[in-house]
Amino acid sequence: MTLRGRLTAAFLVVVLGPVLLGAFFVASIVTAVDRSRSTERLAVAASTVRTSVDALCQQLRATADAVALTPDPAGAAAQLVGRGLAAGVQITDRSGRVSYASPGAPSTPWGDCAGPAAAAPGPVRALAARVDRRDPAGAPLGTVVAVQLVDPAFVARLAAVTGVAVTLLDGGASAARVTHTTETREVRDAVLAAAGTVDSARVTETSEGRYVRRIGPSVGQPLPLVLSVPSERPRGLRATLAGVVVLAGLLAVLTAWRLARVTTRPLVELAGAVDRVAQGDLTARVPVRSRDEVGRLAAAFNRMTRETGSYVAALTSSRDQLRGHLAVLGDTLASTHDLQRILRVILHSAIAATGARAGAVLLVEAGGVLVAQCTEGLEGRVPEGDPDGPPELRVPVGDGVVGAVAATGEPQRGREPIDATTGEPRCRTYVAVPFAAPGGGANATPGGPVGPVGTAPGTTEEGSAPAAALGVLALYDRLGADEFDDDDLVTLRTFAGHAAVAVDNVRVHEEAQRLSLTDPLTGLWNYRYLRESIRREVERASRFGRMLSVLALDLDRFKDVNDTYGHAAGDTVLAEFARRMRGEIREVDLAFRQGGEEFVLLLPETDARGAAIVAERLGAAVRETPIAVEAYAGPIVVTVSVGIAVFPDHGSTGREVLEAADDALYAAKAAGRDTYRVAELCPDVPTQEIPVPAGAVSPTDGLPRAGRPVQVIREPGGHARSESAVGVPESSSAGSAHARPEAAGDPADSAVDAAPAGPDAALPGSGGGASSGPHPPRQSRGR
């Protein structure tokens, strides 16, 4: 086959193959994605319906419990019905006779929230929750039933909450009869017909393009419901894709024929000239036979080769002049701490000074591996790498050319090809120079120093044993196919000296910055970073409407530890306490040593309840395991007192919240130590009771919001539980991100008659959470 035929066939295969596969793939993916998304929407809607019905049943059970526990059940029933917590209440005695029924109660049949999964005999008119009445001795007195009306408004609310169409069937035995529905008349019959062919675990599609699923009746959800959503698949998709494929095929045939006819002969000449240039012959030229695109390409190629030859000549003549400016360049590079920028400038300048085609700067990292920090011109040269992506250059110290340079401290240059198995770039010529930190000697550590600029990079100023290398500067393939000479080696050593100074300066700067923000004994953040962090976290919490908890901690009677065991033992206690504290917090939490035995914790997106749980865990972690100190017979028993404050409940600024936490710490000390206290609410903050509608839905993100306070009561055994005001259901977001499973309260804790608050009551907020934030590596421990 001729070149023209091969070019035409290849173009058609390259163009039409992906077009056909793409059309089939798009049609399949659109159909699959549409069904998957619709199935997911129906699953979420079904879960939402179960949650809403369960929330309503819990409300009815709470109402029935409240009526059963009061001495005057009829009065309590009338009051609760009047408040809208139930549509009706029915009270029967032990013989089953109705002793009280609310006026206007819904008619039967009722769907029992705790009943069996069997369908109700007829349309469900209301949901009912039943509880038993007993006297103080435990003898049965009868039952109390609280009911809530199931009407079109109820079905419409379910549809609004779930975002899908909802249909309530008549009895649930079949999908032929409907009690209430939000479906339109056009699709109602098709939806009901499809619902009759599936069970509650499957999803089917109607001819009108709607996906249908049935749920219930089941235990805890006695309502037989049908859910449906419309399909999102575009109409006429397959016909459109077929037309696109046909049009693309015609255009591909015409284009391939034209390109093959025009480009066959000039391309052969251009390919030969390119091969000659690739071998270093910059005098190669291509004859210009036409004025079309290929002709302009040939003219541009000839112009490029002429300009490249001129550039190589000019580069060679200006090399000595560029070396004279390296001293000024070194002073400029040493004045900044942006290591990547410094290394890029050094590499680019080294390539320009030597006329290399490519290069890399590699630094020695942990494990004895040279890793490229910046590269230029290595696309397609690194073995087993993505030719179009950034090169991934990693060479073990001691392997290959750059590995041997880093290990021995001696520069290398040559013309032989590099062994590709070492992971180094493919090239014809190369030069590599090591560099180490200035001022080093024979005992230098990895990444250690070398002598000043101008001496051999691998030795000290006195010519003693070579210092451990920080890295290697390597260049590849000099322009003109010439080998790198001794002048290039001297130039590269100068650039390597600048790189060594830059890396050493950056590392010294980073270490100084770390030492200025951390406590050397415990490894925690210090008081200087506390002021900056609490300001930043308060601004973040205020911007996103979240809570921020601040814990002030103080080791009890720590002066006695120092007086009894000595300050060395006290330092051991402080370091061990910091270690245990890091083990009890999240990665996003921040721990600080404020001074002496005083510590501070910042818990982003955490309310008072979550902070109280953390305080309990910290107290238990210190109290239950005494701290062993070397050179002493027995362990040292210490305890900790904690003060808790929450933004914005206890202050509008970081300083105010921190002062409130300190005041709460003093209160914990005054209460006998080894406990925690929550700061008192600011007296000037206006508060008001916010009514919560029946069946309220928790926040979608589950994170705490500033608002209604929740009491956290410390029960025997150290567990914490929360109680809301009477008649207001608790939000499901009350479980803090810090809460453990045993901290969850019993459902009976939400009864109408709340127990008296303990010493740790009045903790604001109703939930906890987590968000990203700065954190030192030594404090990172996921749970």
Side-chain angles (χ1 to χ4, degrees):
M1 182 181 290
T2 63
L3 177 62
R4 180 180 301 179
R6 291 197 301 269
L7 184 61
T8 303
F11 186 85
L12 292 176
V13 171
V14 170
V15 173
L16 292 182
V19 169
L20 292 173
L21 292 178
F24 177 76
F25 180 77
V26 168
S28 302
I29 289 299
V30 168
T31 302
V33 168
D34 178 60
R35 183 176 183 85
S36 176
R37 292 182 60 182
S38 300
T39 302
E40 182 178 357
R41 287 183 59 189
L42 289 175
V44 172
S47 177
T48 303
V49 168
R50 294 190 186 96
T51 302
S52 300
V53 173
D54 182 65
L56 180 58
C57 289
Q58 289 182 6
Q59 176 180 309
L60 294 176
R61 292 190 190 97
T63 302
D65 282 334
V67 174
L69 294 176
T70 56
D72 182 16
Q79 181 182 3
L80 293 174
V81 171
R83 294 175 61 182
L85 297 178
V89 175
Q90 178 178 293
I91 304 173
T92 61
D93 56 18
R94 66 182 64 187
S95 63
R97 183 177 58 85
V98 177
S99 60
Y100 173 81
S102 300
S107 59
T108 58
W110 298 338
D112 192 350
C113 291
V124 177
R125 303 300 183 187
L127 284 175
R130 184 186 308 272
V131 298
D132 295 330
R133 295 180 58 215
R134 296 182 182 276
D135 59 11
L141 297 178
T143 60
V144 177
V145 181
V147 297
Q148 186 64 270
L149 183 63
V150 176
D151 55 2
F154 175 81
V155 176
R157 287 195 300 270
L158 287 181
V161 170
T162 58
V164 301
V166 180
T167 300
L168 177 62
L169 300 179
D170 185 358
S174 66
R177 295 185 300 173
V178 176
T179 302
H180 307 297
T181 183
T182 61
E183 297 282 2
T184 61
R185 294 182 179 275
E186 292 77 8
V187 300
R188 182 182 303 172
D189 294 338
V191 168
L192 293 178
T197 63
V198 296
D199 53 21
S200 60
R202 293 176 53 202
V203 175
T204 186
E205 184 179 5
T206 67
S207 58
E208 283 75 12
R210 295 185 68 87
Y211 291 92
V212 181
R213 175 177 177 174
R214 292 186 63 178
I215 61 172
S218 60
V219 176
Q221 204 289 96
L223 299 179
L225 299 174
V226 176
L227 309 180
S228 71
V229 294
S231 172
E232 299 178 358
R233 183 171 60 251
R235 296 185 179 274
L237 176 64
R238 299 184 184 276
T240 302
L241 292 176
V244 170
V245 169
V246 172
L247 180 60
L250 294 176
L251 293 177
V253 171
L254 295 176
T255 305
W257 178 81
R258 178 65 178 173
L259 287 177
R261 182 174 179 274
V262 172
T263 60
T264 301
R265 182 179 179 183
L267 282 178
V268 174
E269 298 173 345
L270 183 60
V274 169
D275 289 337
R276 292 172 58 190
V277 172
Q279 296 174 359
D281 183 9
L282 296 179
T283 62
R285 298 292 183 269
V286 178
V288 179
R289 301 181 181 278
S290 63
R291 296 179 179 273
D292 57 6
E293 291 80 4
V294 178
R296 291 199 300 269
L297 178 62
F301 177 82
N302 293 335
R303 185 170 60 253
M304 179 187 67
T305 54
R306 286 194 299 269
E307 293 178 355
T308 302
S310 301
Y311 172 74
V312 172
L315 184 63
T316 303
S317 64
S318 63
R319 189 183 308 167
D320 294 336
Q321 181 182 1
L322 181 60
R323 292 169 182 166
H325 296 283
L326 288 179
V328 178
L329 176 62
D331 294 337
T332 303
L333 297 178
S335 63
T336 179
H337 296 110
D338 187 351
L339 182 59
Q340 295 297 325
R341 178 183 176 187
I342 292 174
L343 296 181
R344 283 196 301 270
V345 171
I346 291 176
L347 178 60
H348 182 75
S349 301
I351 291 176
T354 58
R357 296 177 183 270
V361 179
L362 303 94
L363 296 183
V364 179
E365 294 190 353
V369 178
L370 283 166
V371 179
Q373 302 299 314
C374 62
T375 60
E376 185 170 340
L378 293 186
E379 290 77 8
R381 294 175 179 264
V382 179
E384 299 181 1
D386 184 4
D388 299 328
E392 183 69 20
L393 187 56
R394 300 174 64 90
V395 180
V397 174
D399 294 349
V401 173
V402 295
V405 170
T408 62
E410 294 294 333
Q412 293 188 19
R413 62 184 178 91
R415 195 179 185 87
E416 297 79 9
I418 295 178
D419 186 5
T421 60
T422 62
E424 296 181 80
R426 293 182 291 268
C427 63
R428 292 187 177 88
T429 59
Y430 62 87
V431 59
V433 175
F435 58 88
N443 298 326
T445 58
V450 293
V453 176
T455 63
T459 61
T460 62
E461 186 175 4
E462 294 80 6
S464 58
L470 275 175
V472 176
L473 175 59
L475 300 181
Y476 305 98
D477 290 348
R478 184 177 177 184
L479 292 174
D482 295 331
E483 184 178 353
F484 292 98
D485 54 25
D486 292 337
D487 292 337
D488 296 324
L489 190 60
V490 172
T491 302
L492 208 59
R493 282 175 171 174
T494 303
F495 281 108
H498 290 303
V501 172
V503 172
D504 187 68
N505 288 345
V506 169
R507 291 184 176 179
V508 171
H509 172 74
E510 291 176 349
E511 179 65 14
Q513 188 175 27
R514 185 189 67 82
L515 293 176
S516 68
L517 297 178
T518 57
D519 175 57
L521 175 61
T522 62
L524 304 178
W525 298 116
N526 59 18
Y527 180 73
R528 175 184 178 185
Y529 194 63
L530 170 62
R531 293 181 298 175
E532 176 184 350
S533 298
I534 196 170
R535 175 191 58 80
R536 181 179 61 250
E537 294 297 333
V538 165
E539 290 177 354
R540 182 182 301 169
S542 176
R543 181 166 62 251
F544 295 103
R546 307 299 192 197
M547 287 184 173
L548 171 68
S549 291
V550 179
L551 275 66
L553 305 95
D554 188 276
L555 294 179
D556 299 326
R557 298 184 177 88
F558 184 76
K559 183 177 182 301
D560 295 341
V561 175
N562 284 333
D563 295 341
T564 304
Y565 302 96
H567 288 279
D571 292 345
T572 301
V573 171
L574 291 176
E576 177 62 16
F577 173 73
R579 186 190 68 79
R580 296 184 185 182
M581 181 169 57
R582 288 195 298 265
E584 297 295 335
I585 61 177
R586 307 166 299 179
E587 291 186 2
V588 297
D589 300 332
L590 299 175
F592 307 82
R593 184 185 179 191
Q594 192 171 10
E597 68 275 18
E598 298 179 359
F599 299 83
V600 173
L601 281 179
L602 299 185
L603 309 180
E605 296 186 357
T606 304
D607 58 0
R609 181 182 180 184
I613 294 174
V614 174
E616 286 278 6
R617 294 211 306 261
L618 289 173
V622 177
R623 180 191 322 110
E624 296 174 0
T625 306
I627 298 176
V629 178
E630 188 177 357
Y632 291 98
I636 299 177
V637 179
V638 295
T639 58
V640 63
S641 298
V642 184
I644 301 173
V646 180
F647 171 84
D649 296 333
H650 302 127
S652 58
T653 65
R655 180 176 180 181
E656 292 177 0
V657 178
L658 187 59
E659 290 175 354
D662 285 336
D663 293 340
L665 174 61
Y666 292 137
K669 291 283 189 181
R673 298 181 174 85
D674 191 18
T675 185
Y676 67 89
R677 286 294 182 270
V678 179
E680 297 180 358
L681 291 176
C682 299
D684 57 344
V685 178
T687 61
Q688 70 178 40
E689 182 177 355
I690 302 176
V692 180
V697 180
S698 304
T700 56
D701 56 0
L703 298 178
R705 300 291 199 277
R708 181 181 180 85
V710 176
Q711 293 181 335
V712 176
I713 299 177
R714 194 175 178 186
E715 297 178 342
H719 299 298
R721 64 183 178 89
S722 63
E723 293 190 356
S724 308
V726 176
V728 180
E730 293 184 8
S731 170
S732 64
S733 64
S736 170
H738 289 283
R740 290 182 172 179
E742 63 268 16
D746 190 86
D749 292 340
S750 61
V752 175
D753 297 328
D760 303 319
L763 299 182
S766 61
S771 68
S772 61
H775 204 76
R778 287 176 292 178
Q779 300 177 21
S780 298
R781 177 178 174 181
R783 292 196 297 278

